[in-house]
Amino acid sequence: MQGDCLCGAVRFTSPPVRQFGACHCGYCRRWGGGAMLAVHCGPDVTFTGSEQITVYASSAWAQRAFCRQCGTHLYYKLLATGEHFIPAGAFETDDFEMASQIYIDRKPPYYAFANETPTMTEQQVMALYGEPGGGE
């Protein structure tokens, strides 16, 4: 699958994935103004225009990146595994299905998704992926 940033300075290719998840954590909501709707692309993502990518260390175990020209959010990346989570809207396709929601206990009351999906709380996510009490 292919995609790019708003201005086209950064392009990427990832393995084909047709599902995305929603993250309701405070970091994602602060970063993008709402839940992050991201495709779990794994570590096998290639980028062109990498000189236009700015990386921010958002925690001890993850990075977030954006295009330095237009500000498009490009990915959330787990440092330990190199796995990329790329916003669904950055792809050239809209053939996706919502498959899961995480940090469901952090979701504010001002929005709700109609999709019925498996959910995980902050504590469940931290038990699987993060540091205890790390939040993100």
Side-chain angles (χ1 to χ4, degrees):
M1 295 189 325
Q2 296 185 341
D4 57 9
C5 64
L6 189 60
C7 71
V10 178
R11 296 197 49 79
F12 59 86
T13 302
S14 80
V17 180
R18 295 295 177 219
Q19 296 182 327
F20 71 90
C23 180
H24 302 285
C25 80
Y27 289 92
C28 284
R29 289 186 288 113
R30 199 168 307 124
W31 193 37
M36 182 174 176
L37 306 179
V39 179
H40 182 184
C41 298
D44 298 324
V45 179
T46 57
F47 292 90
T48 59
S50 58
E51 67 279 359
Q52 299 302 322
I53 297 175
T54 297
V55 176
Y56 172 70
S58 59
S59 71
W61 65 87
Q63 298 174 330
R64 294 172 190 265
F66 59 93
C67 173
R68 72 177 53 170
Q69 294 297 312
C70 65
T72 297
H73 299 169
L74 297 171
Y75 61 80
Y76 171 88
K77 179 180 175 183
L78 293 172
L79 297 176
T81 62
E83 294 172 88
H84 290 82
F85 297 81
I86 297 178
F91 287 93
E92 294 173 355
T93 182
D94 59 3
D95 185 23
F96 292 116
E97 174 187 350
M98 183 186 285
S100 64
Q101 297 181 64
I102 61 173
Y103 288 85
I104 195 67
D105 54 327
R106 298 295 183 206
K107 186 189 78 55
Y110 55 80
Y111 69 82
F113 295 122
N115 309 59
E116 292 289 329
T117 66
T119 61
M120 291 176 68
T121 65
E122 178 180 13
Q123 184 178 9
Q124 291 168 321
V125 172
M126 287 294 110
L128 282 177
Y129 304 113
E131 298 172 354
E136 185 182 332

